[in-house]
Amino acid sequence: MARILVVEDEPDIALGLEEDLKRQGYQVETVGDGESAVRRASRETWDLILLDVMLPRLDGFEVCRELRRARIKTPIILLTAKVQEAEKVMGLELGADDYVTKPFSPRELRARIQAVLRRFSGESLGLHRFGDVEVDFDRAEVRKKGLPVDLTALELRLLQTFIGRRGRVLTRAQLIDAAWDQGTHVSDRAVDTHVLNLRKKIETVPGQPQFIRGIRGIGYRFDA
Ligand code: CA
């Protein structure tokens, strides 16, 4: 049974979340401000933190930054009332794993929670299939309609990053972090070029990608 820390200062929302999550079988604890969130998240083990952005004392972004700085890797889903793309990018770059925009439907939140928990449950990438593409990460082989596709090492790392974090919006900076060697200077345009090349190799219609989707102003998301 997964343990979830809910950080939310509005009592009604906090209570609603807690009841809904408990009904789904999660163990839930709630705190109402940023400082308590940092304290509890640092001292106890959690499977997931649902973190409201607008909080008294420390806001959600600051909580996120502090936890990641302290090398606490518990997955975090930000609950944000703000829809500005810059804020989403900031949350993701501070180390949040996903965000849900308020008001959210319980169903949407459930799906995001399940996706994040699955991602962190240590499943091995091994063999992965989407559409008519088959990726064997152990052998570093990709086939489309059964025929081998020649991916560069970088494209394979990009694809691995996408698949490993499927359903999650990734900024270009996060892709660079994950797929390029440390310390390499890479422009956003270079990222776009490599994503474009990867699409040409794996998408059915590269001009209308169904797997690697561009998220305007933010980055990319892999859906499969
Ligand atoms: Ca709030």
Side-chain angles (χ1 to χ4, degrees), residues 7-10 13 52-56 102:
V7 187
E8 170 61 78
D9 59 315
E10 285 158 73
I13 300 181
D52 186 30
V53 169
M54 299 297 279
L55 290 169
K102 287 178 172 177

Side-chain angles (χ1 to χ4, degrees), residues 89-110:
V89 172
M90 181 157 109
L92 295 171
E93 289 187 344
L94 286 175
D97 297 279
D98 205 350
Y99 56 82
V100 176
T101 307
K102 287 178 172 177
F104 47 82
S105 72
R107 195 167 153 194
E108 184 194 357
L109 183 63
R110 270 201 292 276

Side-chain angles (χ1 to χ4, degrees), residues 6 9-10 26-27 37 46 66 98 170 184 203-204 218 222:
V6 172
D9 59 315
E10 285 158 73
Y26 297 115
Q27 266 185 51
W46 305 92
E66 284 211 10
D98 205 350
L170 295 168
T184 320
E203 294 279 356
T204 313
I218 303 185
F222 184 83

Side-chain angles (χ1 to χ4, degrees), residues 2-18:
R3 279 190 91 213
I4 301 179
L5 179 65
V6 172
V7 187
E8 170 61 78
D9 59 315
E10 285 158 73
D12 290 351
I13 300 181
L15 192 65
L17 276 173
E18 192 170 335

Side-chain angles (χ1 to χ4, degrees), residues 74-95:
T74 313
I76 294 174
I77 297 180
L78 286 175
L79 305 177
T80 172
K82 302 178 174 175
V83 291
Q84 286 93 340
E85 286 166 351
E87 304 257 348
K88 292 179 188 171
V89 172
M90 181 157 109
L92 295 171
E93 289 187 344
L94 286 175

